[in-house]
Amino acid sequence: MDLVLSVVSQIDAVFVFFIFAGAVAGLFVGAIPGLSVTMATALLVSITYTWSVKNALGVILGVFVSGVYAGAVSAILINIPGAPSSVVTTLDGYPMARKGEAALALWAATFHSFVGTVFGFLVLMFVAKPVTSFALTFSAMDYFLLALFGLTTIGTLTAKNYIKGGICALLGLLLSMIGIDPFSGGVRLTFGWFDLQGGIPLIAALIGLFGFSEVLDQVARGAMNAIAAEAGKMRYCFREMLRFLPLSLRSSLIGVFIGALPGAGGPVASIIAYDSARKSVKNPSRPFGEGAVEGVIASEAANNACIGGALIPMLTLAVPGDAVTAVILAAFYVHGLQPGPLLFVRTPELFSIVLAGGFIASVAMLILGMTVVPRLSKIVLVPKRILMPLVTVLCVVGTYAVNSSMFDVGLMFCFGLAGFLMRSRGYPPAPLVLGLVLGEMMDSNLRRAINMALAGDNFFLSLFGRPTSVILAVLVILSVLAAVPGVKDRVLSVFSRRERVE
Amino acid sequence: MNTSPWAANMRHSLFFLVLAALFGWQGARSHDGGDWALSPALFPLLLSSALALLALALLLQGYRRLKNGVPAVLPQGADFSTGRVFLVFGLCCAYALLLPWAGFFPSTALFLVIFSLMIGERRLWPIVLLSFLSPAAILLIFRHGLNVLLP
């Protein structure tokens, strides 16, 4: 009760104003591919270091919460995820927009991002310490298996042919290996090309595979009318959205837990939540991948719940959960604060400021999602003859903005062509992007795990001797087996035969 | 050439086998001579082996389906034209080459005029608005508003 009162006591008009200002900025930064929330937060640290801690944190949290949500806006409307954590939202969000349900998809994303964010901050408020201690028990092998589990599920989700999904995921992982090895400092897989030493820029790949390849796909089809005949009407039907609350809370739970694991973050959370939704929702509005609103809800609730999750280890242990919280951690140090176990002793009001900021930022996000975003949904009514050239220019600008490099722009075009060729031949681009995102995490954790196991008494037990590792390994095996044609049917038929005998 | 998608899958599998070999070769070259557990070559070699295995599985799947005459549906419609795509891709490459040389505004305006004409826009006012207003808006928002560098 004291904590609740302390959170409420932090709220004043100036604080609310700064959070709303941050949320407006976050909405645009998140929705424009190439402008990342991390970049905006880093900029804000330099701008706000002379401000009071409270106002600085207010504006940063506004950008963070609204920016993570806004990645869904471009994912739904033009099939370009604003950030890697919105990749999964494109799977059902864009098909919904094409079917004239852009407004419904945006409303679902808005409402359930709000639910996810609030859930994440509630977990941060009440159970931060136990979640942190559990997250700390994760070993290098567990991180590797978690990422592997994410990849095996996306293979089944986005490809009718599992082999093709697997090939795309492996290609993504191989591409993520290009560049300088973080362990040895040696160069690998660059084929002697100097420009590739910095690795494959993720944003260029993301924009190319989703945005530019969509332009090429539309050009190939020759259909140059609007994306949809209508954007759909934004009906703020809370009752309809509350129907999906159990799914939203389940996805938020996944999001908050994965967010609390340092380095895992939104992309993994959204894939696993999507996979869980696909398996648990018996009668989706449409098949998943063809415009099921449940797919948008699962992905968005999970990636927004990650915010609260990522703040847990940052505040309690000074270990950032993702790139944005790493920047926020830097902001804390700039202001002379020390997050970690002593935070609650030395500056307990800071915890209340973060919580108050998070809750108000989620309300700001909901209000902006209900007022500004519906106007953006009209973009699907613009004829493609006008929209596609403009999207191409935005792809170029968004790619160039990250590193100011024309090489990245060239790579983006190449990824776009590759994405188009892949799609037209039944190879889904989403596993490739996720492979790119997760590659480094898998590589470093696998090597670390093997190295530690070699130093132990029993190699196999060191790798798989812990309950978490066993559970994750079993999940990976089940996920792969479920995708093998015939295995699932055979297992089901065995069970039904047993029932008949009984 | 056999136009069945299963035959196409078999051709793709050969491409992936070559790719796996190339990545495997490059991965092996990055081995620093030390312990394999910490070698930068370990994960790329594991991945390229897995890619080769999946490529072989695709080859086998394609062969069996082709042999059994399993019907397949092509994903694209009748109006699907890859030629148009390569034309647009060529235009985009020319735009990327022109950008550093001519600057953002003129090259983008020219690119937008040609692209919109190429995909069937014939009305003068939309072309003018698209080609001159949008680069100006992007310049204003990105360069002056957000302080983001433009090509």
Side-chain angles (χ1 to χ4, degrees):
Chain A
M1 195 63 202
D2 286 348
L3 184 59
V4 176
L5 286 175
S6 164
V7 170
V8 174
S9 70
Q10 296 298 337
I11 301 169
D12 60 55
V14 180
F15 187 50
V16 172
F17 168 78
F18 277 109
I19 292 171
F20 267 79
V24 172
L27 185 69
F28 289 99
V29 166
I32 299 172
L35 297 183
S36 67
V37 180
T38 317
M39 186 179 86
T41 320
L43 269 174
L44 280 173
V45 173
S46 61
I47 294 169
T48 59
Y49 79 99
T50 52
W51 299 11
S52 74
V53 182
K54 193 173 162 182
N55 294 343
L57 275 178
V59 78
I60 288 173
L61 282 166
V63 168
F64 190 9
V65 170
S66 183
V68 171
Y69 149 71
V73 176
S74 55
I76 290 168
L77 295 176
I78 49 175
N79 201 27
I80 306 179
S85 57
S86 307
V87 167
V88 179
T89 309
T90 59
L91 301 179
D92 286 288
Y94 187 61
M96 282 182 79
R98 291 178 79 158
K99 289 183 170 90
E101 292 176 353
L104 175 64
L106 287 170
W107 172 228
T110 306
F111 185 81
H112 293 283
S113 292
F114 169 75
V115 171
T117 314
V118 171
F119 185 86
F121 277 94
L122 283 174
V123 171
L124 174 66
M125 189 169 178
F126 295 112
V127 280
K129 282 177 187 170
V131 170
T132 310
S133 2
F134 184 60
L136 278 178
T137 62
F138 261 58
S139 67
M141 194 60 193
D142 298 341
Y143 277 105
F144 171 77
L145 289 170
L146 182 72
L148 188 63
F149 175 57
L151 274 182
T152 54
T153 57
I154 197 77
T156 45
L157 298 177
T158 53
K160 289 194 175 83
N161 187 336
Y162 186 75
I163 298 175
K164 289 186 172 181
I167 285 176
C168 293
L170 284 170
L171 283 176
L173 288 171
L174 276 166
L175 289 174
S176 75
M177 296 294 103
I178 293 176
I180 293 173
D181 170 41
F183 272 66
S184 64
V187 174
R188 57 181 175 179
L189 305 187
T190 58
F191 294 89
W193 204 343
F194 179 76
D195 287 309
L196 285 177
Q197 286 194 6
I200 297 285
L202 184 63
I203 294 295
L206 196 68
I207 294 178
L209 285 167
F210 285 94
F212 187 55
S213 78
E214 178 66 26
V215 171
L216 295 179
D217 192 59
Q218 296 302 329
V219 168
R221 286 174 202 284
M224 284 298 141
N225 296 323
I227 289 173
E230 52 171 351
K233 206 158 182 220
M234 196 71 130
R235 287 179 297 118
Y236 300 113
C237 186
F238 284 92
R239 193 184 292 170
E240 196 183 321
M241 284 298 134
L242 286 174
R243 202 160 54 86
F244 298 109
L245 200 61
L247 168 68
S248 183
L249 291 176
R250 269 200 312 275
S251 307
S252 304
L253 192 65
I254 294 171
V256 83
F257 176 68
I258 292 182
L261 300 173
V268 183
S270 54
I271 309 162
I272 293 178
Y274 185 87
D275 182 51
S276 148
R278 195 169 176 261
K279 282 169 184 154
S280 61
V281 176
K282 294 282 176 261
N283 298 306
S285 50
R286 277 199 200 97
F288 278 88
E290 293 176 23
V293 71
E294 291 86 352
V296 175
I297 291 168
S299 162
E300 282 308 303
N303 68 27
N304 270 72
C306 265
I307 298 172
L311 286 168
I312 294 174
M314 194 211 85
L315 288 172
T316 54
L317 299 165
V319 175
D322 61 9
V324 186
T325 43
V327 178
I328 297 178
L329 187 67
F332 274 45
Y333 289 126
V334 164
H335 285 277
L337 301 163
Q338 196 159 16
L342 291 176
L343 175 98
F344 300 94
V345 181
R346 287 185 184 160
T347 44
E349 73 281 0
L350 194 72
F351 189 55
S352 310
I353 291 173
V354 171
L355 289 171
F359 289 125
I360 298 168
S362 38
V363 174
M365 181 199 78
L366 184 68
I367 293 171
L368 287 172
M370 289 171 75
T371 50
V372 179
V373 172
R375 279 150 189 70
L376 297 176
S377 71
K378 299 284 182 284
I379 204 165
V380 294
L381 304 177
V382 178
K384 287 180 201 154
R385 292 187 294 276
I386 302 289
L387 192 63
M388 291 303 148
L390 199 57
V391 168
T392 309
V393 173
L394 283 176
C395 287
V396 170
V397 171
T399 309
Y400 188 83
V402 182
N403 292 326
S404 304
S405 156
M406 281 310 288
F407 177 74
D408 288 6
V409 175
L411 266 184
M412 183 274 289
F413 282 139
C414 293
F415 271 111
L417 187 64
F420 162 74
L421 294 172
M422 283 166 65
R423 279 207 241 180
S424 59
R425 282 150 184 81
Y427 294 88
L432 197 148
V433 169
L434 287 156
L436 258 172
V437 173
L438 299 173
E440 202 187 314
M441 175 181 164
M442 288 178 77
D443 176 35
S444 54
N445 283 303
L446 177 71
R447 282 153 73 187
R448 207 171 285 145
I450 293 177
N451 208 35
M452 283 193 283
L454 283 173
D457 296 333
N458 187 320
F459 180 78
F460 190 77
L461 268 182
S462 301
L463 283 182
F464 298 103
R466 303 167 62 260
T468 329
S469 313
V470 174
I471 293 169
L472 285 167
V474 168
L475 283 174
V476 169
I477 293 167
L478 287 178
S479 175
V480 173
L481 283 181
V484 177
V487 170
K488 200 174 168 185
D489 301 336
R490 243 173 263 169
V491 172
L492 287 175
S493 69
V494 166
F495 277 107
S496 57
R497 215 179 297 152
R498 261 190 209 159
E499 273 170 22
R500 257 180 306 192
V501 170
E502 278 163 14
Chain B
M1 191 190 283
N2 193 333
T3 52
S4 154
W6 310 130
N9 281 0
M10 289 170 71
R11 285 193 294 276
H12 300 162
S13 68
L14 295 178
F15 168 73
F16 292 126
L17 277 174
V18 173
L19 216 56
L22 276 174
F23 275 116
W25 166 64
Q26 277 283 310
R29 277 187 56 178
S30 62
H31 181 51
D32 50 11
D35 192 352
W36 271 97
L38 271 178
S39 168
L42 175 72
F43 201 49
L45 280 176
L46 284 176
L47 292 174
S48 37
S49 311
L51 181 63
L53 272 177
L54 282 187
L56 284 174
L58 189 67
L59 185 76
L60 196 70
Q61 186 193 53
Y63 173 74
R64 283 175 64 179
R65 289 185 178 176
L66 197 66
K67 202 176 145 198
N68 298 336
V70 179
V73 183
L74 282 168
Q76 53 267 52
D79 205 21
F80 201 83
S81 157
T82 317
R84 274 198 299 258
V85 168
F86 283 102
L87 216 60
V88 166
F89 185 73
L91 175 71
C92 291
C93 290
Y95 171 52
L97 289 174
L98 193 67
L99 264 170
W101 182 75
F104 180 74
F105 191 88
S107 46
T108 304
L110 184 66
F111 168 74
L112 288 171
V113 169
I114 298 174
F115 196 172
S116 49
L117 282 171
M118 202 185 249
I119 57 174
E121 182 59 66
R122 294 288 178 268
R123 294 166 302 162
L124 183 66
W125 278 111
I127 295 178
V128 171
L129 284 177
L130 171 77
S131 311
F132 295 96
L133 218 60
S134 52
I138 290 172
L139 205 64
L140 201 72
I141 297 168
F142 279 78
R143 186 73 200 95
H144 301 290
L146 298 167
N147 212 17
V148 170
L149 284 177
L150 290 176

